[in-house]
Amino acid sequence: MSWDNELLERAHKIIELYPQKRSALGPLLYLAQEKDGFISDDSIVEISNLVDITEVQVKSVSSFYSMYKEEQTGTYLLSVCKSISCEINDSRSVINSVKEFTGLENYETDQDKLFTFEEVECIGACGGAPAVQVNYETVEGLTPEKTIEMCEWLKNDKPEIIVADQLQNKFGGTKSFDWAIEDNTGSAYTVPGFQNIGTAKEKDN
Amino acid sequence: MSDQIKINVNGSEIRTDSDQLIIEACEDSGIHIPRFCWHKRMDPVGMCRMCLVEIETPRGKALVPSCTTKVSEDLVVDTESEVVKKAQEGVLEFLLINHPLDCPVCDKAGECPLQDQTMAYGPGESRFVEDKRHFEKPIPISEIILLDRERCILCARCTRFSDEISGDPLIEFIQRGNKTQVNTFPDEPFRSYFSGNTVQICPVGALTSTSYRFKARPWDLKKVSSTSNCSSMGCSVELNVSQNKMLRILGEDNEFTNQGWLSDKGRYNFEYLHSEKRILKPVLNNDSTNEISINESMELISNEISNDENSNISFIVGHNSTNEEYYALNNFVENLNKVNKDLNMDVYLSDDYLYEGFFHNSDLLGKVEDLDSVDTIILWAQDIKDNLPTLYLRIRQAVKNGKKLVIFGHTNTAMKELSDSYFGHEIISKNLEFNVEISEIPNFNEYINDKNVLAIIGKSSPIQNTNPISNLVNYLDQNSNLKLLNCFSKGNTFGALQNISLVKGLNEFINEFDSSEKNIVFTIGSNPVNSSIYSNQIKDKLINANFVVSLDLFKNETTELADIILPTTSFGEKEGTFTNLEMRTLKQNKILPTPGSVLNEWEYWSMMLNKIDIENSYESELELNLNLCEDYLDKDNVPSFDNLNKPSNLDGVLNSKSINIEIENVESGTLEILFVNRLYGDSSTQINSPSISMLGAERFIEMNSDTFIKRNLSDYTVNLVQGDITLQVKIKINNDLPNELIIAPLNRRGFRDIDTTKPYELIEVKNLKELSVN
Ligand code: SF4
Ligand code: FES
Ligand code: FES
């Protein structure tokens, strides 16, 4: 048993949300990623027992979607958009600045396991291009300078919870929309912060 | 029932069922549409796009995959238009982008759908100059299957088979896009009883089997259709031979039996045919240096038989003989009796699960196809997945199509997931008796009352009082519209029952054997000293007998005790008929030459009769076949060679004969251990087939976790100790078993000597291991 009781309890709660056990596969994979920073084979065995499908069927799903990581990620996953809107708004220089700061190529993780860098397809923030996600929390309207500042802040402050709005206030530029509601929840792992599966965390202040 | 409609294909009108797919409708009318992923026994997926056709729609012509599009009234289809041809070329060009074109070293070349269809529908020239995708060349995905991912065209036939048909999805697509590949999970190999089917249906050479790799090229193969001996299902097979060696067995699609599929045992259990260990000459006194001629052996045996004024002759038969051979044996017994009335002769079938069964009322007897038409399937018999694997597939299919499945007893826990109701230890006791009145079983009546029911009924354990089984059958008969399949699982059991006037069981052999008299025993293709729970007693009797003759392929525990061993022909080396569990008789064909100075069983019987100057009325399989056809109840459609060779009868002929089984009901004892036969075991044929010989080696027992805890166990490797027997076994937890009942494999080495009614101990071996390290 590689999952502790707390994680198993969360898993069972998630499974109860669905009419069929196997439908819980997606969220359970996020739990696995929250635990290890990637989908480990041990977690796959655990999930296959939890939802009654074979290990390779779990692997089939986890290896299909690029947001389920097959290799250990760093504490902060920097996903820089390379799709068309961002490209037009000079995402190339944002990408280059991240590369330069971290010394990483696409899909690489540094030795300290601090950063993982990846170039991704459109993250739905075209209106505020160029956009970046840190642990799936989005910042829009970045410049190369601001990007480096953000990376430095991550490296020095090592914030435990990443919250999109705070990133935006500190480092972002033009936004696609202004929801006008301050949102204090973010993600604490290299997993999107979802309230219903408990991967979202609230930040004080 | 679906309606007939008409559609127009390539300008001509065809009639078809309204619920068919375009590809099926065309196929039935002789119009072939190329395809890779579609397989008529599996659900369509539309993976490969090779089957594109043009249809007319209200918005003009459209290209659609014919394997996922249903026909509709007056549909106009074009399978050969310029657009279709262009599409086919395009699809093939894409498929070939990453295909390695290593045909010269590929087993599939020559019978490869990708190769053939590229020739027929492909672009002819490659425009691809880039690098192809590379994977490590074949990786083993199980002990018997290899996977070459470079060759795979991602049709998903193999993965769908393992999910939909066999229900053990241990292979799947992983990764995506250009990296997509079929694979297993690490340390979880493709250990399926049915894995060989994926090799057969793979449209390229991506999946290959260890037994056939690099052995032959398809164009060198000689092929013949036949019927497998693997179980009493009588699966239709194609035997492939090159240079007088059996190299491969393929499944053939017989609508009434296997529907194209085979178990891996049926598919890969053939290498023994060419084993060096086969006996090729008669042997005297189990001494290999003491080979004698057939004539001498016949002389010796006939002297023994005719010298004895007042002796007993017993025949212990196995299940691999043809109907003709059983008939010849029966004829031998009858003729001998005619000249010597005092001779006491009996035929015993070597199968511990044999009992009188339900044959008295022929209206009750069901067919395999009833699975697809009844409301409820009732199962109480030995482990079906291990003993009748292709029947298991048919049951799975029926359940998938909405039939209710109700299982009794402790042997079919592997099918519990599949069932609608599983009556295990709450209803059926450890000793295989009902704990409650049948009428009181919760929710049972709703499955059967006024329903069409097919019951698959047999003994679950060799030591089982059959009264509860009879009670269940009576109850079902009174309350439902019942059909029944007698579940004797081994080879040509039903052929033996149909063609031997009276069949008894091994328990009868032991009870009737009178050591004070002169005894001659024939064992025929059977190894009762190894394959029965009565092994030890049988061994004593054989040692006690005055003269023992064994007809067999290999030396084994039984032939060791024989005065003369007569080598016999095997599967593929003889022609004859085989009768399956629904009394369907199918043809077995000869494609291999007879090795050494080996004879057919019937030839020995005939020669023996000649030696003692008794006329017999046959000189060939054909004559035997004509003779045995005379006693069929339905005279109009007998399974004669002629009739079976007719194209309309390739699926076999249903016909019955009177069946007489005389087996005393055993007392219900206290079962401590429930024996089951596993698909793979230690039969001489499997052990002498190197590709699968290791599959029956593991020794394990099953028990529920309460028993595990109550017995204070902590390790899963223990010694099973009973009297002076000690067996090291692995424990598998199976929580569907009753407390304190363990399941053990009867056909794995060491288990035979265990008495299933006596207590045993389980002792942890940990300490022993530590000791042995020092
Ligand atoms: S291995 Fe063969 S059957 Fe399986 S997906 Fe690939 S081509 Fe199809
Ligand atoms: S293109 Fe970058 S967010 Fe859409
Ligand atoms: S056969 Fe129709 S898409 Fe493959």
Side-chain angles (χ1 to χ4, degrees):
Chain A
M1 286 289 140
S2 67
W3 284 20
D4 62 18
N5 285 339
E6 195 208 316
L7 202 55
L8 283 173
E9 205 171 296
R10 281 172 69 193
H12 287 298
K13 284 220 180 90
I14 292 171
I15 292 170
E16 277 166 24
L17 297 174
Y18 301 89
Q20 286 184 348
K21 283 182 173 183
R22 60 190 297 162
S23 311
L25 184 52
L28 294 186
L29 285 166
Y30 278 136
L31 293 197
Q33 188 151 313
E34 173 189 310
K35 175 175 176 288
D36 298 317
F38 72 114
I39 312 288
S40 70
D41 282 356
D42 284 346
S43 287
I44 288 182
V45 173
E46 196 85 46
I47 293 172
S48 105
N49 291 330
L50 282 167
V51 303
D52 276 348
I53 60 178
T54 60
E55 288 93 338
V56 73
Q57 287 179 313
V58 179
K59 178 83 179 172
S60 176
V61 174
S62 71
S63 64
F64 183 86
Y65 294 102
S66 57
M67 279 167 74
Y68 298 128
K69 303 295 176 199
E70 298 206 274
E71 274 161 37
Q72 176 89 58
T73 46
T75 315
Y76 303 114
L77 172 66
L78 306 171
S79 318
V80 188
C81 178
K82 63 167 180 186
S83 282
I84 184 96
S85 305
C86 294
E87 171 81 33
I88 292 170
N89 287 290
D90 199 21
S91 61
R92 206 24 60 191
S93 60
V94 174
I95 289 174
N96 287 339
S97 65
V98 174
K99 278 187 174 177
E100 205 171 303
F101 183 85
T102 58
L104 298 172
E105 288 299 315
N106 200 3
Y107 300 126
E108 281 182 351
T109 301
D110 60 27
Q111 290 203 326
D112 308 333
K113 297 266 183 296
L114 186 65
F115 291 117
T116 300
F117 162 65
E118 62 180 3
E119 294 172 31
V120 295
E121 301 302 336
C122 178
I123 47 179
C126 311
V132 173
Q133 287 183 328
V134 180
N135 291 356
Y136 302 108
E137 295 287 308
T138 309
V139 216
E140 298 166 276
L142 278 165
T143 60
E145 297 72 33
K146 281 287 177 189
T147 310
I148 291 188
E149 243 179 72
M150 181 174 78
C151 292
E152 259 163 2
W153 172 73
L154 288 170
K155 190 173 175 179
N156 298 331
D157 277 33
K158 298 209 174 56
E160 207 179 303
I161 299 166
I162 307 287
V163 177
D165 279 352
Q166 292 174 358
L167 288 183
Q168 186 69 32
N169 291 340
K170 277 199 167 85
F171 310 105
T174 327
K175 266 174 88 170
S176 328
F177 301 103
D178 197 347
W179 297 103
I181 313 167
E182 191 74 4
D183 181 5
N184 254 348
T185 52
S187 85
Y189 315 94
T190 52
V191 176
F194 290 124
Q195 232 116 33
N196 59 345
I197 63 167
T199 51
K201 292 264 159 8
E202 185 137 6
K203 196 166 182 175
D204 327 323
N205 72 46
Chain B
M1 277 286 109
S2 55
D3 315 326
Q4 284 273 310
I5 56 169
K6 61 178 196 321
I7 64 172
N8 184 304
V9 183
N10 301 341
S12 34
E13 202 163 273
I14 63 174
R15 299 200 71 79
T16 165
D17 282 347
S18 61
D19 63 353
Q20 277 198 310
L21 298 164
I22 297 176
I23 197 169
E24 283 172 309
C26 289
E27 184 96 347
D28 292 349
S29 308
I31 301 159
H32 180 80
I33 298 174
R35 84 288 305 256
F36 293 111
C37 67
W38 185 72
H39 187 284
K40 80 169 191 193
R41 296 290 178 189
M42 296 194 284
D43 294 343
V45 279
M47 280 302 264
C48 72
R49 314 316 265 189
M50 191 60 211
C51 67
L52 291 172
V53 294
E54 253 193 316
I55 59 170
E56 271 170 28
T57 75
R59 290 189 290 170
K61 290 192 170 186
L63 269 180
V64 294
S66 58
C67 73
T68 52
T69 314
K70 288 220 163 135
V71 294
S72 55
E73 186 75 54
D74 294 326
L75 181 74
V76 179
V77 183
D78 198 333
T79 70
E80 290 169 338
S81 68
E82 281 311 310
V83 177
V84 169
K85 281 188 184 144
K86 185 113 196 286
Q88 290 168 337
E89 280 189 11
V91 167
L92 277 166
E93 188 170 24
F94 271 121
L95 286 177
L96 291 174
I97 281 180
N98 273 321
H99 192 77
L101 300 183
D102 54 355
C103 307
V105 293
C106 178
D107 278 334
K108 201 82 176 186
E111 56 179 11
C112 174
L114 183 61
Q115 207 177 40
D116 295 346
Q117 294 184 36
T118 303
M119 285 296 287
Y121 309 95
E125 236 165 82
S126 172
R127 293 183 292 174
F128 192 73
V129 290
E130 291 79 2
D131 260 352
K132 292 190 187 241
R133 172 194 58 175
H134 284 296
F135 284 117
E136 188 187 331
K137 274 296 193 182
I139 49 169
I141 51 170
S142 77
E143 285 93 339
I144 50 179
I145 309 284
L146 296 139
L147 168 68
D148 182 330
R149 291 162 294 174
E150 287 181 351
R151 292 180 185 156
C152 172
I153 57 164
L154 306 177
C155 69
R157 277 188 172 191
C158 57
T159 52
R160 278 182 293 148
F161 172 86
S162 70
D163 189 15
E164 273 174 41
I165 307 289
S166 67
D168 36 23
L170 297 169
I171 46 172
E172 244 314 341
F173 285 145
I174 62 170
Q175 300 288 353
R176 71 164 156 176
N178 193 40
K179 290 193 207 148
T180 313
Q181 52 181 284
V182 174
N183 217 328
T184 55
F185 190 69
D187 299 327
E188 200 57 56
F190 186 31
R191 230 172 246 152
S192 160
Y193 283 173
F194 304 98
S195 60
N197 293 297
T198 62
V199 176
Q200 185 174 338
I201 59 177
C202 178
V204 294
L207 289 161
T208 48
S209 59
T210 50
S211 61
Y212 181 71
R213 260 178 91 74
F214 305 134
K215 288 280 162 59
R217 314 256 41 174
W219 52 87
D220 290 331
L221 292 174
K222 235 171 53 181
K223 301 175 177 181
V224 73
S225 295
S226 191
T227 304
S228 169
N229 272 351
C230 173
S231 76
S232 63
M233 204 47 183
C235 301
S236 290
V237 291
E238 183 187 89
L239 309 179
N240 290 182
V241 167
S242 172
Q243 299 182 338
N244 290 335
K245 276 204 162 173
M246 181 94 80
L247 293 181
R248 182 169 71 168
I249 296 179
L250 295 175
E252 275 189 355
D253 196 320
N254 183 332
E255 177 64 36
F256 301 99
T257 57
N258 56 322
Q259 302 192 332
W261 312 126
L262 291 181
S263 74
D264 288 355
K265 175 94 173 284
R267 186 181 296 271
Y268 296 122
N269 194 26
F270 62 82
E271 287 163 331
Y272 69 86
L273 288 167
H274 311 292
S275 159
E276 291 170 356
K277 299 215 183 98
R278 268 198 66 182
I279 314 168
L280 298 175
K281 276 191 126 189
V283 177
L284 204 57
N285 299 329
N286 189 37
D287 173 3
S288 306
T289 58
N290 213 342
E291 287 183 346
I292 53 174
S293 72
I294 291 182
N295 208 9
E296 282 171 294
S297 69
M298 291 296 110
E299 202 78 43
L300 283 168
I301 298 171
S302 47
N303 282 343
E304 273 311 313
I305 295 175
S306 43
N307 274 350
D308 279 308
E309 293 293 289
N310 205 353
S311 66
N312 303 313
I313 309 185
S314 314
F315 301 86
I316 302 181
V317 298
H319 44 266
N320 289 323
S321 307
T322 59
N323 291 353
E324 286 66 25
E325 289 170 324
Y326 290 127
Y327 181 86
L329 163 65
N330 196 55
N331 177 280
F332 178 78
V333 173
E334 281 174 359
N335 276 315
L336 218 52
N337 236 331
K338 270 186 216 146
V339 291
N340 188 346
K341 297 241 162 0
D342 298 327
L343 270 179
N344 200 351
M345 290 185 286
D346 279 299
V347 182
Y348 307 93
L349 195 58
S350 175
D351 179 359
D352 291 342
Y353 291 84
L354 199 68
Y355 71 111
E356 297 199 339
F358 300 89
F359 293 100
H360 49 277
N361 175 0
S362 56
D363 288 341
L364 199 63
L365 295 182
K367 292 185 286 219
V368 175
E369 64 187 301
D370 294 336
L371 285 170
D372 302 324
S373 59
V374 292
D375 305 304
T376 304
I377 303 159
I378 307 275
L379 170 63
W380 192 9
Q382 52 182 315
D383 188 322
I384 293 290
K385 190 173 177 183
D386 279 77
N387 292 283
L388 283 158
T390 45
L391 180 62
Y392 164 79
L393 295 185
R394 291 291 302 259
I395 296 174
R396 274 200 97 235
Q397 203 60 25
V399 170
K400 218 178 123 200
N401 292 334
K403 311 300 171 209
K404 300 280 177 244
L405 174 65
V406 177
I407 300 179
F408 286 90
H410 315 306
T411 38
N412 280 298
T413 52
M415 289 171 79
K416 184 181 176 193
E417 290 273 283
L418 213 57
S419 66
D420 294 273
S421 253
Y422 177 86
F423 296 120
H425 54 90
E426 274 149 28
I427 306 293
I428 306 286
S429 74
K430 240 173 88 175
N431 301 323
L432 306 167
E433 288 165 325
F434 283 100
N435 287 334
V436 294
E437 289 289 319
I438 299 178
S439 56
E440 305 286 300
I441 300 173
N443 306 326
F444 181 45
N445 288 324
E446 69 194 53
Y447 288 112
I448 58 160
N449 276 352
D450 304 319
K451 296 271 163 68
N452 294 322
V453 170
L454 178 72
I456 301 169
I457 299 289
K459 273 168 88 165
S460 305
S461 156
I463 303 184
Q464 176 180 11
N465 182 290
T466 55
N467 294 344
I469 303 182
S470 307
N471 293 343
L472 177 64
V473 171
N474 287 338
Y475 185 82
L476 289 171
D477 200 15
Q478 280 157 20
N479 294 289
S480 72
N481 179 13
L482 178 68
K483 292 282 179 197
L484 181 145
L485 279 178
N486 280 294
C487 187
F488 303 141
S489 65
K490 293 191 166 171
N492 196 12
T493 303
F494 290 84
L497 297 179
Q498 279 195 340
N499 293 292
I500 298 172
S501 321
L502 177 66
V503 173
K504 296 181 173 180
L506 290 178
N507 202 18
E508 277 64 39
F509 170 72
I510 295 162
N511 294 338
E512 291 171 5
F513 191 96
D514 183 348
S515 324
S516 64
E517 291 178 16
K518 269 210 124 176
N519 283 294
I520 300 176
V521 182
F522 283 88
T523 69
I524 302 129
S526 67
N527 181 4
V529 179
N530 187 42
S531 62
S532 166
I533 59 157
Y534 305 112
S535 294
N536 289 333
Q537 288 133 291
I538 294 170
K539 189 171 179 179
D540 289 345
K541 306 290 174 198
L542 292 186
I543 292 172
N544 231 300
N546 302 67
F547 196 66
V548 178
V549 182
S550 286
L551 286 74
D552 221 316
L553 308 175
F554 292 100
K555 292 199 170 174
N556 58 35
E557 294 79 355
T558 303
T559 62
E560 248 171 48
L561 309 172
D563 297 277
I564 292 183
I565 311 173
L566 299 174
T568 54
T569 49
S570 181
F571 185 64
E573 296 165 353
K574 57 191 179 186
E575 187 180 11
T577 55
F578 175 104
T579 302
N580 85 349
L581 80 174
E582 60 171 7
M583 307 295 173
R584 176 177 299 278
T585 299
L586 302 117
K587 187 86 193 295
Q588 288 190 325
N589 283 315
K590 176 178 159 88
I591 187 164
L592 292 168
T594 320
S597 44
V598 165
L599 292 184
N600 293 309
E601 285 165 25
W602 66 265
E603 288 176 289
Y604 289 121
W605 304 128
S606 154
M607 287 168 77
M608 283 178 229
L609 283 180
N610 286 338
K611 283 270 180 230
I612 32 187
D613 289 330
I614 303 177
E615 282 271 322
N616 71 345
S617 52
Y618 57 84
E619 263 165 15
S620 66
E621 286 102 344
L622 182 63
E623 282 176 19
L624 275 164
N625 173 260
L626 289 175
N627 283 341
L628 73 82
C629 278
E630 281 167 19
D631 332 319
Y632 277 101
L633 298 180
D634 174 3
K635 304 285 176 214
D636 295 334
N637 194 20
V638 291
S640 64
F641 286 0
D642 257 1
N643 200 20
L644 287 173
N645 287 337
K646 283 188 195 149
S648 56
N649 284 334
L650 291 180
D651 287 343
V653 162
L654 275 174
N655 208 330
S656 40
K657 285 188 176 186
S658 69
I659 283 180
N660 297 302
I661 308 173
E662 207 178 279
I663 289 183
E664 218 178 289
N665 204 351
V666 289
E667 289 298 313
S668 79
T670 4
L671 273 189
E672 304 286 340
I673 299 172
L674 184 58
F675 266 146
V676 296
N677 274 312
R678 291 295 172 207
L679 180 66
Y680 299 115
D682 60 353
S683 66
S684 11
T685 56
Q686 192 190 331
I687 282 183
N688 288 301
S689 299
S691 296
I692 55 165
S693 57
M694 66 295 187
L695 296 178
E698 196 194 6
R699 289 197 294 213
F700 63 89
I701 58 173
E702 295 171 41
M703 64 174 67
N704 70 15
S705 44
D706 283 352
T707 312
F708 186 80
I709 293 164
K710 247 179 69 198
R711 287 197 171 239
N712 280 326
L713 298 171
S714 57
D715 195 43
Y716 291 93
T717 305
V718 295
N719 278 331
L720 192 155
V721 183
Q722 188 184 62
D724 44 13
I725 304 166
T726 302
L727 272 186
Q728 187 169 328
V729 297
K730 286 222 174 73
I731 296 177
K732 292 188 182 168
I733 297 296
N734 178 347
N735 282 329
D736 298 320
L737 294 175
N739 281 339
E740 283 299 323
L741 183 68
I742 64 167
I743 283 195
L746 174 58
N747 59 342
R748 299 248 164 131
R749 211 148 40 86
F751 285 99
R752 233 95 33 172
D753 298 333
I754 285 171
D755 187 334
T756 53
T757 58
K758 298 235 173 76
Y760 56 90
E761 270 184 283
L762 297 174
I763 299 169
E764 306 213 344
V765 285
K766 255 198 257 154
N767 303 334
L768 292 178
K769 259 193 251 155
E770 279 162 21
L771 276 181
S772 65
V773 172
N774 290 332

